[in-house]
Amino acid sequence: MSGQPQAGQPADVARRYFDAIGRRDLDAALACWAPGAIDHLAPVGELRAPEGMRAYFEELFAAMPDFHYEVVELVAEADRVAVHWRAGGTFTGRPFQRIRANGARIAAEGLDLVLVVDGLIARNDSFWDDSAVARQIGLLPPRDGIGERALKALFNLRSRLAGLGRRRGQTVTHSQGGS
């Protein structure tokens, strides 16, 4: 047997799926999935194949008309495949997750852990840094910039005030219980 994956083997199925996403060919991508399978996108939630996935990727592709995707490395063991990927594009199209396009360039990388059963994807767990994407489009301030420092200061003030409120409530409760 050669070192190349055979048709239907987990590595081959995963590669076909990710190549189809890179070509923006949703029909070919979804053909790699078992009906009702779960695509768990850690920053987004769970999508069910095929309807939820089709809706998500149609929205993504419409938001970034120049979306590109590449597999950096793929490692298979038994029925599991780990896929390190890079993706990007320009946010010039339609809104994405109720966020209007602003022309920002987006670059992301992540890791997916794919489970293949009977030649089809049964589950995928996908991980990437959604806060980095939010920073690139301006939804979050740049790391270590004045905006992030101000946001942290507001958060810390809120936490401090909440802590004072908890302590005051404990004191009141304690003194009422001791009367």
Side-chain angles (χ1 to χ4, degrees), residues 96-162:
F96 182 69
Q97 298 182 346
R98 296 187 304 256
I99 300 168
R100 291 188 179 275
N102 63 0
R105 296 272 315 139
I106 298 169
E109 68 178 297
L111 182 75
D112 285 25
L113 182 58
V114 181
L115 170 65
V116 177
V117 177
D118 296 329
L120 294 172
I121 299 171
R123 182 176 177 94
N124 180 40
D125 291 286
S126 185
F127 305 93
W128 70 91
D129 183 356
D130 207 32
S131 66
V133 173
R135 288 177 196 286
Q136 291 173 47
I137 65 172
L139 189 60
L140 287 176
R143 185 171 303 283
D144 298 325
I146 191 166
E148 184 180 62
R149 289 193 303 271
L151 193 59
K152 286 179 181 178
L154 287 172
F155 177 85
N156 289 335
L157 176 61
R158 180 176 169 248
S159 295
R160 185 171 163 208
L161 292 173

Side-chain angles (χ1 to χ4, degrees), residues 23-128:
R23 293 190 316 273
R24 301 164 43 112
D25 183 346
L26 283 178
D27 290 331
L30 294 174
C32 297
W33 283 78
I38 298 292
D39 193 4
H40 175 248
L41 309 178
V44 176
E46 289 191 350
L47 308 175
R48 192 160 301 274
E51 302 85 14
M53 293 176 60
R54 181 176 295 281
Y56 176 82
F57 282 105
E58 283 177 348
E59 184 181 28
L60 177 66
F61 296 158
M64 287 189 283
D66 64 344
F67 178 83
H68 55 80
Y69 188 93
E70 69 172 308
V71 171
V72 176
E73 186 173 4
L74 185 144
V75 178
E77 169 103 17
D79 59 357
R80 303 257 180 197
V81 184
V83 181
H84 175 200
W85 52 263
R86 287 192 188 114
T90 312
F91 192 20
T92 57
R94 302 179 102 180
F96 182 69
Q97 298 182 346
R98 296 187 304 256
I99 300 168
R100 291 188 179 275
N102 63 0
R105 296 272 315 139
I106 298 169
E109 68 178 297
L111 182 75
D112 285 25
L113 182 58
V114 181
L115 170 65
V116 177
V117 177
D118 296 329
L120 294 172
I121 299 171
R123 182 176 177 94
N124 180 40
D125 291 286
S126 185
F127 305 93
W128 70 91

